[in-house]
Amino acid sequence: MTHTIAVLPGDGIGHEIVEQAQRVLGALGLDLTMEQAPVGGTAYDLHGHPLPEATLALAKRSQAILFGAVGGWNYDSLPREHRPEQAILGLRKNLGLFANLRPAILYPQLANASSLKPEIVSGLDILIIRELTGDIYFGQPRGMRVVQEGQFKGEQEGFDTMRYAESEVRRIARIGFEAAQKRSKKLCSVDKANVLETSQFWRDIVIDVSKDYPDVQLSHMYIDNAAMQLVRAPKEFDVIVTGNIFGDILSDEAAMLTGSIGMLPSASLNASNQGLYEPSHGSAPDIAGKNMANPLATILSAAMMLRYSLNEASAAARVEDAVKAVLEQGLRTADIYEAGTTKVSTSQMGDAVLKALN
Ligand code: NAD
C-alpha cells in the first residue's frame, strides 16, 4: 500500500530541515508519495491565509503530515487570525489531533549539553503524552466578569474552566497504555487529584482503563512532585500521560533536560492514528537560510511518523539507528557542537544520516 504524506515545510528553517527528512524517507525503499503545500507565513504571503483550503485538504487526505515550523518576525504584527501559528491550531482542530507525544531522549554523546549532571541524564529516554484538545485551555465558560459576592465583590476577575469529559480521558489513557506496552510497560499518570475535581475524575478513569492493560504497571503522581522528580531523577520515568496544561509544562521541562532543542521530535495523533509530525522547536529566523540548522529533530519526527502513522516500525528503527551512528561519528551541527567534534551543515548532516542508513 502506498503511504501518503503531506509535506508542509512552513517558514524560516522549515524548508532546510524538512528537505533532509524527505531525503531520508525517500531512501528507505518504501512505497511513499510526498506532496508539498505552503503553510504559515509562506502561505499567508501566497494565498492570504496561514492554512489555505488546499493545504488543509491535502493534510486531511494524507496519512501523515511532515511539518517544519512556522512563524517569523515579519508576521508578528498581523491580526491574530492571520498569524502563522494559527495554521497549527487549525490543523489540530480540523484533524482532531488530541494526543501529543514528545519523547525526551538524551543521547550519551550529547550528555554535556544538559544543564544537569551527565550521570543524572545520560541515556535518558522518556515519552511524555499530553492531551491536546481539552482541559483548562479550551474549557467554557471563560472570560472576565464582575465578582458578585464574597471578599472580592465588585472587582473584575478573569476565569477559566478546567474540564475533561470521560471519553476524552479514556482515549488519551489508551494512547498512554499502548505506548507503555511498546516500551518498558510502566505508565505514570500525572494529575493534581489532591486539589482538583477534574484531576480526581481523570485518575478514576485512568484506573478504570488500566483494567484493559494488566501487563502495564500504572502509577500516579501529583504534578508538583512530577516537576520535581523530573529534574531529580528523570530516568526513573518511562511513559508519562497527563492533561493539556500539566503536559505543556512538563514536556518543556523534559525538553530542557536534553539541552538541545534541535534534537527533539514530536507527534500529534488523532483517533485513526493520522498524525502531524514536527520538531519541537520553532522556525529559528535567526539562522534561516544559512544551512546551519540541526535537521535531526525533523528526521526523528519522520521516524515517529513511520512508527505511529505508517506502521513501519523497522524503518523507524533504521532511521533512529542512523541518527545514533552520526552522533557516534562525532558529527554535530552548530547548536550541539563541542570541542573535539566535527561541525557540519544542515545538508551535510542529512548526507551523513543517508550514508549511515545504508
Ligand atoms: P525557536 O525554537 O525558533 O528558536 C529558539 C532558538 O533555538 C534560536 O536561537 C534558534 O536559532 C535555535 N534553534 C531552534 N531550532 C533549531 C535547530 N533546528 N537547529 C539549531 N538551532 C535551532 O523559537 P523562537 O525564536 O522563540 O521562535 C521563532 C519563531 O518560531 C516565532 O515566530 C515563533 O512563534 C515560532 N514558533 C513556531 C513553532 C512551531 O512551528 N511549532 C514552535 C515554537 C515557535
Side-chain angles (χ1 to χ4, degrees):
M1 195 189 81
T2 306
H3 296 304
T4 53
I5 302 171
V7 178
L8 312 183
D11 310 322
I13 59 171
H15 277 271
E16 302 161 57
I17 53 178
V18 163
E19 185 188 336
Q20 302 312 319
Q22 273 187 281
R23 292 173 70 204
V24 169
L25 284 170
L28 294 167
L30 300 172
D31 187 3
L32 304 173
T33 63
M34 295 189 253
E35 194 178 331
Q36 191 162 317
V39 75
T42 310
Y44 177 79
D45 290 340
L46 288 169
H47 303 290
H49 197 281
L51 183 59
E53 287 290 329
T55 301
L56 179 59
L58 170 67
K60 279 186 172 168
R61 67 172 181 267
S62 305
Q63 279 170 278
I65 302 157
L66 180 62
F67 193 95
V70 293
W73 301 310
N74 41 335
Y75 305 110
D76 284 351
S77 56
L78 288 175
R80 184 178 291 271
E81 68 275 16
H82 286 148
R83 297 277 283 272
E85 294 76 11
Q86 292 299 315
I88 303 177
L89 299 178
L91 285 165
R92 277 184 196 164
K93 186 163 165 249
N94 279 283
L95 276 72
L97 304 172
F98 68 88
N100 186 227
L101 277 59
R102 274 176 64 172
I105 297 175
L106 183 54
Y107 297 93
Q109 299 88 346
L110 302 180
N112 289 329
S114 175
S115 55
L116 295 191
K117 294 189 196 105
E119 63 269 27
I120 292 183
V121 282
S122 179
L124 178 77
D125 180 357
I126 61 179
L127 174 63
I128 299 193
I129 300 177
R130 164 188 170 194
E131 201 289 330
L132 207 53
T133 53
D135 207 350
I136 195 165
Y137 289 173
F138 296 97
Q140 293 289 346
R142 58 190 287 158
M144 312 246 250
R145 63 189 168 196
V146 176
V147 184
Q148 296 301 319
E149 55 191 34
Q151 186 187 356
F152 304 108
K153 187 173 176 183
E155 282 184 39
Q156 280 278 332
E157 70 173 359
F159 67 101
D160 296 275
T161 301
M162 180 176 262
R163 56 152 298 285
Y164 267 118
E166 184 176 335
S167 62
E168 288 177 289
V169 183
R170 282 192 186 278
R171 65 185 185 178
I172 193 75
R174 290 200 183 284
I175 300 262
F177 283 106
E178 279 160 28
Q181 278 181 324
K182 291 184 193 144
R183 296 171 50 110
S184 73
K185 299 191 165 48
K186 270 171 39 185
L187 177 67
C188 178
S189 169
V190 171
D191 61 36
K192 188 71 182 169
N194 51 343
V195 178
L196 299 169
E197 299 298 333
T198 314
S199 276
Q200 185 58 57
F201 180 70
W202 168 284
R203 188 177 285 214
D204 293 345
I205 301 294
V206 171
I207 290 171
D208 195 50
V209 174
S210 74
K211 293 174 191 153
D212 293 339
Y213 302 90
D215 53 331
V216 176
Q217 186 192 331
L218 172 67
S219 60
H220 304 273
M221 200 178 275
Y222 297 136
I223 174 65
D224 43 345
N225 189 22
M228 213 162 62
Q229 298 306 328
L230 210 46
V231 286
R232 191 190 67 83
K235 286 192 270 187
E236 287 185 13
F237 291 101
D238 190 54
V239 183
I240 293 175
V241 66
T242 188
N244 204 344
I245 187 167
F246 300 151
D248 192 1
I249 298 163
L250 280 192
S251 57
D252 269 12
E253 186 187 355
M256 278 325 294
L257 293 179
T258 72
S260 46
I261 189 135
M263 296 294 303
L264 296 169
S266 81
S268 302
L269 300 175
N270 68 16
S272 13
N273 284 336
Q274 189 184 23
L276 181 141
Y277 297 84
E278 57 171 338
S280 295
H281 58 73
S283 59
D286 51 334
I287 55 167
K290 296 184 178 161
N291 196 23
M292 61 187 281
N294 186 343
L296 294 179
T298 316
I299 290 172
L300 291 167
S301 301
M304 290 187 83
M305 168 191 292
L306 291 163
R307 178 167 289 117
Y308 292 104
S309 285
L310 308 185
N311 216 3
E312 298 280 3
S314 62
R318 260 183 85 196
V319 174
E320 287 157 356
D321 288 346
V323 168
K324 283 182 201 147
V326 299
L327 294 174
E328 195 58 48
Q329 291 159 21
L331 304 181
R332 305 280 188 272
T333 42
D335 56 310
I336 52 174
Y337 174 77
E338 57 183 330
T341 60
T342 309
K343 198 184 278 185
V344 295
S345 66
T346 310
S347 50
Q348 286 169 331
M349 188 57 105
D351 294 343
V353 175
L354 278 180
K355 200 164 157 219
L357 271 183
N358 302 314

